[in-house]
Amino acid sequence: MTTLKTIIEPFRIKAVEPIRLTTEPEREELLQEAHWNLFLLRARDVLIDLLTDSGTGAMSNAQWAALMRGDESYAGSDSFFRFRDAVQHLTGYTHVIPTHQGRAAEHILFAIVGGAGKAVLSNTHFDTTRANVEVSGAEALDLVVASAADPTSEFAFKGNIDLERLEHELVTRGRERVPLVLLTVTNNAGGGQPVSMANARAVREVTRRHGVPLYFDACRFAENCYFIKTREPGYAERSVESIAQELFALGDGCTMSAKKDGLANIGGFLATNDDGLAEQARNLLILTEGFPTYGGLAGRDLDAIAQGLVEVVDEEYLHYRIVSTAYLCNNLHRAGVPVVRPAGGHAVYLDATRFLPHVPRGQHPGQAIAAALYRVGGIRGCEMGTVMFPHLLDSERPELVRLALPRRVYTQSHIDYVVEAVTEVFRTRETLRGYRIVREPARLRHFTCHFEALE
Ligand SMILES: *Cc1c(COP(=O)(O)O)cnc(C)c1O
């Protein structure tokens, strides 16, 4: 038998969405109109949109068919029960509470368990997670392993939490002041790097000893579990589904944005084994999201997620997914572009600190690269440096630009184009200058702030 080596997209295309081509002078003007903030561009003016992998994926024919099955009853719809069963099949958690997206689940969770004087401990809080912890009055502490800050370290599980620091924080703060430990799988803000099962198991052991619940930020649980399968000894022969079940069984609950590994365009949930917390959460849900069997979603959305949760643990899909992210990462690396290694699951991260050593931290090198990528190639990436995380200003951690890959959307030729554009920006890097923020809101400033280009 011959085994061919070329890895293909394991799907064919049934509906096409045209991309509008633009020129560099047009994009220069569009950038100016958007105050150099790529979030303020119109999507129609973007050629390859790598701003986020959130809600931007293509649904399958089975998901589109599931939409028609959507039961739009206000209470107790069949769609809810299909959704609940799909979530419970993977997580095993008793209570499944739908929300319109991940941050709504976070808001409800931290409104209940957060508060002044408390601290949530995580490998790395995602930006909305941190904001929701902080808005409750609590502190959000990131305790990721040291190798996470070293973009050249090839350690296989750079999303792991530092167990010594975790133990230290739990001992010094005490269980009254730590409402929960939150493991983000994969670690989005830390480069999309996975957490090992061994690390999750050790976190379970420490948290149990201290009587503190363990929750997962499960947005990319399937990608994380595929990394466990391919990188962690003892898991190669296991199905990703069973690895996910083993991982979730270590925790007491999770929040999830279904816009990532739910393979849906909208949705999320909070799941928990804690009866008291679930009751409080449902009461808050009614206030802000909707009745507990739809939580801000249409019945058809719940069905799309239920089907997405089945498709996302399909190993042919995950193989294609992880290999195509690595393809972008490896080709940039080969061209000499500084990227975070090894490749994460959903995105490739340019290391802006090494990319633009002549632009100081205060002048937002990540923003300079993101703006240049749009101007040169019409590509929209996402700054993950001192604009998104102002606390990085006083840190040594590298500033990043994330090129997130929407699921099942772009083909290899699109990615080859991205490699060429990034390489071109890198070749002309010495001509790039920094930026100054001239207008910003109090929180999550990267979404709406205005920039001015420095001379
Ligand atoms: C996207 C994301 C969230 C928030 O989910 P939304 O659906 O965008 O509200 C939370 N945590 C992580 C790790 C994420 O990637």
Side-chain angles (χ1 to χ4, degrees):
M1 192 188 77
T2 332
T3 312
L4 301 181
K5 285 195 287 296
T6 308
I7 295 163
I8 62 169
E9 287 87 1
F11 50 81
R12 52 186 182 174
I13 295 164
K14 183 173 250 173
V16 295
E17 184 178 6
I19 294 174
R20 196 178 75 90
L21 302 177
T22 50
T23 63
E24 184 164 338
E26 280 175 308
R27 294 193 290 265
E28 181 81 57
E29 205 163 294
L30 291 161
L31 262 179
Q32 239 179 62
E33 284 166 19
H35 305 278
W36 288 275
N37 184 336
L38 303 187
F39 280 99
L40 302 181
L41 286 170
R42 285 188 64 162
R44 67 191 298 272
D45 298 328
V46 177
L47 287 187
I48 309 273
D49 206 345
L50 308 183
L51 184 65
T52 173
D53 63 322
S54 178
T56 53
M59 291 208 296
S60 67
N61 52 354
Q63 284 179 294
W64 283 106
L67 293 187
M68 282 307 296
R69 221 169 43 216
D71 174 356
E72 305 304 341
S73 307
Y74 190 92
S77 75
D78 277 351
S79 297
F80 170 74
F81 292 103
R82 285 190 285 265
F83 166 82
R84 185 203 63 181
D85 292 350
V87 174
Q88 280 183 338
H89 175 71
L90 288 167
T91 66
Y93 300 140
T94 323
H95 304 280
V96 178
I97 299 168
T99 57
H100 80 278
Q101 51 183 91
R103 71 196 65 187
E106 293 167 353
H107 184 71
I108 288 172
L109 177 62
F110 295 115
I112 297 167
V113 304
K118 295 185 181 172
V120 175
L121 312 179
S122 178
N123 43 353
T124 310
H125 292 81
F126 183 62
D127 60 351
T128 61
T129 321
R130 170 174 288 277
N132 275 303
V133 168
E134 288 176 354
V135 96
S136 82
E139 225 183 312
L141 254 74
D142 294 340
L143 306 173
V144 74
V145 289
S147 64
D150 176 3
T152 60
S153 154
E154 296 277 349
F155 179 51
F157 291 103
K158 289 160 87 172
N160 283 356
I161 204 164
D162 184 325
L163 294 164
E164 262 174 49
R165 290 171 68 201
L166 177 65
E167 176 85 45
H168 173 78
E169 292 299 334
L170 284 166
V171 168
T172 52
R173 289 169 194 266
R175 64 194 288 179
E176 305 73 31
R177 290 168 60 203
V178 181
L180 57 87
V181 171
L182 185 73
L183 264 185
T184 311
V185 293
T186 57
N187 196 24
N188 184 358
Q193 300 289 329
V195 175
S196 71
M197 189 70 82
N199 190 251
R201 212 178 288 123
V203 173
R204 168 77 294 180
E205 197 274 317
V206 176
T207 51
R208 183 173 288 136
R209 199 151 27 78
H210 288 274
V212 170
L214 169 62
Y215 278 68
F216 292 100
D217 179 338
C219 294
R220 298 178 184 80
F221 75 94
E223 291 172 7
N224 197 100
C225 291
Y226 190 75
F227 280 122
I228 290 175
K229 182 183 169 91
T230 51
R231 293 182 181 176
E232 194 162 350
Y235 288 94
E237 302 305 321
R238 291 270 305 277
S239 72
V240 169
E241 185 180 70
S242 78
I243 296 170
Q245 287 163 337
E246 178 179 336
L247 184 71
F248 283 119
L250 296 171
D252 302 287
C254 69
T255 55
M256 169 141 176
S257 168
K259 301 172 72 172
K260 285 73 173 245
D261 275 353
L263 296 179
N265 300 121
I266 196 71
F269 58 86
L270 167 63
T272 180
N273 285 334
D274 182 331
D275 299 341
L277 188 144
E279 186 177 337
Q280 287 181 68
R282 287 197 180 101
N283 290 336
L284 273 179
L285 189 83
I286 290 176
L287 202 63
T288 58
E289 293 281 294
F291 190 73
T293 61
Y294 73 86
L297 294 170
R300 56 179 172 271
D301 297 327
L302 294 167
D303 265 306
I305 298 166
Q307 175 62 25
L309 288 173
V310 173
E311 292 176 15
V312 79
V313 292
D314 177 281
E315 289 170 31
E316 278 166 27
Y317 159 73
L318 281 167
H319 181 61
Y320 139 80
R321 172 74 176 157
I322 299 303
V323 163
S324 44
T325 306
Y327 176 84
L328 174 57
C329 185
N330 294 341
N331 278 299
L332 289 175
H333 180 61
R334 248 178 251 128
V337 177
V339 287
V340 174
R341 306 260 300 160
H346 66 294
V348 172
Y349 294 72
L350 307 177
D351 178 351
T353 309
R354 280 186 296 147
F355 197 120
L356 288 187
H358 62 281
V359 176
R361 233 161 230 267
Q363 297 180 9
H364 313 302
Q367 159 65 15
I369 294 168
L373 257 179
Y374 176 72
R375 182 173 45 75
V376 170
I379 296 160
R380 177 155 68 169
C382 183
E383 191 267 4
M384 288 197 144
T386 45
V387 180
M388 183 182 274
F389 304 112
H391 63 276
L392 280 186
L393 261 179
D394 322 303
S395 142
E396 295 288 295
R397 278 178 42 197
E399 293 202 55
L400 304 175
V401 176
R402 184 182 71 181
L403 306 178
L405 298 168
R407 293 169 181 78
R408 309 188 288 203
V409 169
Y410 292 115
T411 64
Q412 187 171 339
S413 70
H414 290 121
I415 299 306
D416 288 336
Y417 172 87
V418 173
V419 171
E420 184 185 354
V422 177
T423 308
E424 178 60 18
V425 171
F426 184 63
R427 196 181 61 78
T428 55
R429 62 193 177 279
E430 278 166 21
T431 62
L432 299 188
R433 297 289 169 266
Y435 283 81
R436 190 160 68 89
I437 295 177
V438 290
R439 206 175 122 181
E440 63 178 304
R443 255 174 232 289
L444 298 172
R445 65 178 182 179
H446 55 287
F447 288 128
T448 55
C449 68
H450 291 182
F451 297 96
E452 206 172 75
L454 295 167
E455 283 313 311

